[in-house]
Amino acid sequence: MEAGDFKDFAKAMTEYIAEYLENIRDRQVVPSVKPGYLRPLVPEQAPQQAEHWTAVMQDIERVVMSGVTHWHSPRFHAYFPTANSYPAIVADMLSGAIACIGFTWIASPACTELEVVMLDWLGQMLGLPESFLARSGGEAGGVIQGTASEATLVALLGAKAKTLFEVKAKHPEWADKDIIPKLVGYCNSQAHSSVERAGLLGGVLLRKVNPDSSRRLRGDTLRETIEEDVKNGLIPFYVVATLGTTSSCAFDALEEIGDVCREKDIWLHVDAAYAGSAFICPEYRYLMKGIEKADSFNFNPHKWMLVNFDCSAMWLKQPRWIVDAFNVDPLYLKHDQQGSAPDYRHWQIPLGRRFRALKLWFVLRLYGVENLQKHIRKHIALAHLYEKLCSADERFEIYEEVTMGLVCFRLKGNNEINEELLRNINGRGKIHLVPSKIDDVYFLRLAICSRFSEESDIHISWEEIRECADEVLKNHKK
Ligand code: PLP
């Protein structure tokens, strides 16, 4: 493709994207296709001769959109949001054009340096302590990981390396094989499944600790569990505190957990994948009280801060435990400036990395902190609107406290009736929700996901849920 065609293609695509997004609420939120729907829609083999770009454009609705779940529709209330904005889309175009692989500083200095500065901007926006920021002049700083799951694993590997080093200093006669089976990490039993997975991938034991009745992991319970494990000869080395659990958006008691970790010198990682974006609004920072006691902190601007996937921001106070522990330094990756700027390949699992800081830069500049705060506050207000509508109907109950843009609710009654309610809601196809279960109680989660969501959309979703409840309850009376 030559530049002329590229310009026409990109213009047509820009037009298509804007139309798609601005009219997204008119589409059926989850497609009604069956597995295998796509193969018959495309040829058996790749074309031998080049096609014209207009032919590709013509196939987008038929082949792709017919099987797309529209995550940015105001009718989409499943999981947690994933972000989307025009500035981030345009930044991804530029990133695609530069197409550098920023594994070392010299591999593309702007790629590394913009990331360092953006993570400082972002850290200040959240009110993170200076001890996490590169501008403090020490080794601390931020990095963009692909996902929160990677951040949890990277922090675990750092904690493991640090503990191995420290234990060996005390017991020079011990080898890795004597220590690793004794290592144990901890998280709330409500923590995301990626925490347990990080334990499996990192080859260490990860214990799930029961939270209190508000689903918060508390310091006392953690301390008791740790002390019991120490008595049994284990070596506690890693704690993950969750700020905004996936099931019900509960917040672990970070300050209490931080005290335990500092007292016992255990690496504390904070997973605020979804809720972390809310800390750009000062009124929500009480939920991250104690953050200065953490060793690493992570949240996903790609969830709730209008930066398209993938952009998971992670800060480390002592990146040396990751940088040094996994340092393989082949000649072809060496450069003269080594040590004077981060070589981000050492801060992550893969070698290659895209120029992701661009989309952060574009979004922060083109929205400004003020509009990003408005976005967060609006989503939370919409969640409270839904909470109000739902609690005014005495057949329903709100299952957990609403603090962010997530409402957990259920019909009063048994799990079966709620399972039926959800089947009915998703079966009708107008809106989309997913359930969760805590202590064997099944409930529905309504997350405010779309940046296009307005109060009228929440009323539409509530009406749909109310009608589905009418149907389900009528069937039960028969
Ligand atoms: N941690 C929490 C609390 C989450 O809610 C999620 C996803 O929703 C994750 C981690 C995983 O995020 P990612 O897909 O970025 O790995």
Side-chain angles (χ1 to χ4, degrees):
M1 176 176 272
E2 301 299 329
D5 267 352
F6 165 65
K7 286 183 191 173
D8 291 341
F9 188 15
K11 269 185 212 143
M13 186 56 87
T14 309
E15 193 67 32
Y16 178 84
I17 290 171
E19 285 301 308
Y20 166 65
L21 288 173
E22 296 304 318
N23 297 302
I24 198 165
R25 62 163 65 65
D26 301 335
R27 294 185 183 248
Q28 184 179 315
V29 60
V30 178
S32 34
V33 293
K34 297 274 175 285
Y37 91 94
L38 193 141
R39 190 178 280 280
L41 300 182
V42 295
E44 283 276 303
Q45 278 154 8
Q48 199 61 34
Q49 259 82 50
E51 296 181 64
H52 196 259
W53 64 263
T54 48
V56 175
M57 283 303 290
Q58 272 163 21
D59 276 349
I60 289 176
E61 282 295 324
R62 187 179 67 89
V63 179
V64 180
M65 287 302 176
S66 58
V68 165
T69 299
H70 301 287
W71 282 61
H72 301 284
S73 163
R75 312 279 174 260
F76 184 90
H77 296 296
Y79 320 111
F80 274 140
T82 188
N84 178 324
S85 70
Y86 295 128
I89 294 171
V90 177
D92 265 345
M93 273 181 78
L94 179 59
S95 168
I98 296 172
C100 61
I101 307 293
F103 41 62
T104 57
W105 177 84
I106 194 64
S108 202
C111 181
T112 297
E113 297 211 3
L114 192 63
E115 189 161 327
V116 172
V117 178
M118 282 309 100
L119 272 285
D120 269 4
W121 279 19
L122 198 54
Q124 292 173 78
M125 283 167 59
L126 299 184
L128 284 187
E130 285 288 315
S131 52
F132 279 110
L133 307 185
R135 69 178 202 157
S136 67
E139 61 170 308
V143 57
I144 302 177
Q145 305 283 357
T147 62
S149 316
E150 285 164 71
T152 305
L153 175 60
V154 165
L156 178 141
L157 296 174
K160 184 177 168 189
K162 178 172 184 275
T163 309
L164 281 172
F165 178 86
E166 289 169 354
V167 172
K168 280 183 195 164
K170 270 196 221 149
H171 303 278
E173 71 286 6
W174 290 6
D176 285 7
K177 68 173 175 35
D178 305 313
I179 306 168
I180 292 172
K182 295 194 176 111
L183 295 180
V184 53
Y186 305 86
C187 65
N188 187 336
S189 59
Q190 291 295 312
H192 191 261
S193 56
S194 55
V195 181
E196 184 178 358
R197 194 145 183 270
L200 292 172
L201 291 166
V204 289
L205 177 64
L206 233 146
R207 283 189 61 167
K208 293 182 185 174
V209 183
N210 283 336
D212 68 8
S213 59
S214 306
R215 327 295 174 202
R216 318 175 69 207
L217 177 61
R218 303 299 300 262
D220 286 352
T221 330
L222 179 67
R223 180 181 281 106
E224 276 164 31
T225 315
I226 288 174
E227 288 175 357
E228 190 61 34
D229 283 348
V230 171
K231 264 193 224 148
N232 291 327
L234 296 180
I235 305 173
F237 82 106
Y238 185 52
V239 172
V240 178
T242 308
L243 299 183
T245 56
T246 318
S247 272
S248 67
C249 208
F251 289 77
D252 286 346
L254 183 59
E255 180 138 56
E256 296 173 10
I257 295 170
D259 285 337
V260 176
C261 290
R262 292 296 51 91
E263 179 190 315
K264 305 198 175 290
D265 190 23
I266 298 173
W267 185 299
L268 172 59
H269 175 68
V270 176
D271 172 8
Y274 161 68
S277 295
F279 303 144
I280 64 170
C281 303
E283 67 271 29
Y284 294 111
R285 288 194 197 144
Y286 73 96
L287 293 164
M288 65 166 194
K289 197 156 178 270
I291 189 64
E292 69 286 353
K293 296 168 191 166
D295 296 277
S296 48
F297 174 83
N298 168 245
F299 88 104
N300 286 351
H302 74 228
K303 275 191 161 51
W304 201 15
M305 224 192 70
L306 299 176
V307 183
N308 284 47
F309 189 86
D310 49 350
C311 181
S312 185
M314 179 187 196
W315 288 265
L316 292 141
K317 279 189 184 156
Q318 294 189 316
R320 80 182 92 131
W321 294 111
I322 289 140
V323 171
D324 296 345
F326 308 105
N327 188 353
V328 283
D329 218 6
L331 189 58
Y332 48 82
L333 293 178
K334 284 188 193 297
H335 60 92
D336 293 343
Q337 308 300 328
Q338 243 163 266
S340 42
D343 281 337
Y344 274 133
R345 70 189 169 101
H346 297 306
W347 295 51
Q348 60 174 23
I349 292 161
L351 172 67
R353 57 201 329 274
R354 298 190 309 123
F355 199 161
R356 292 182 288 216
L358 280 174
K359 54 190 170 189
L360 208 43
W361 193 41
F362 280 29
V363 167
L364 298 185
R365 291 183 65 185
L366 296 176
Y367 278 89
V369 179
E370 196 178 85
N371 284 311
L372 295 171
Q373 288 171 331
K374 273 189 194 153
H375 169 68
I376 300 287
R377 289 179 181 134
K378 183 172 172 186
H379 271 200
I380 297 174
L382 292 176
H384 283 301
L385 169 63
Y386 181 82
E387 178 189 22
K388 198 170 122 203
L389 294 168
C390 187
S391 18
D393 185 327
E394 61 186 20
R395 300 171 302 170
F396 285 90
E397 59 187 346
I398 300 295
Y399 188 60
E400 296 286 346
E401 191 189 339
V402 179
T403 24
M404 299 278 125
L406 176 73
V407 188
C408 300
F409 69 101
R410 65 196 303 279
L411 276 170
K412 290 173 187 164
N414 58 24
N415 285 351
E416 288 67 36
I417 203 161
N418 281 288
E419 285 166 20
E420 205 177 316
L421 174 64
L422 186 70
R423 262 198 308 278
N424 200 349
I425 292 170
N426 286 337
R428 282 165 48 134
K430 197 163 168 188
I431 62 173
H432 187 50
L433 274 72
V434 293
S436 193
K437 207 181 225 182
I438 299 180
D439 294 342
D440 268 338
V441 178
Y442 180 99
F443 57 91
L444 283 68
R445 295 167 76 266
L446 182 133
I448 311 293
C449 291
S450 169
R451 77 181 158 90
F452 301 107
S453 287
E454 296 296 341
E455 287 193 0
S456 54
D457 294 304
I458 303 307
H459 284 280
I460 289 171
S461 294
W462 165 242
E463 279 308 310
E464 177 67 4
I465 291 168
R466 211 177 49 77
E467 274 177 32
C468 290
D470 290 346
E471 272 178 24
V472 168
L473 292 170
K474 204 164 20 160
N475 287 343
H476 269 258
K477 277 200 188 123
K478 274 182 195 163

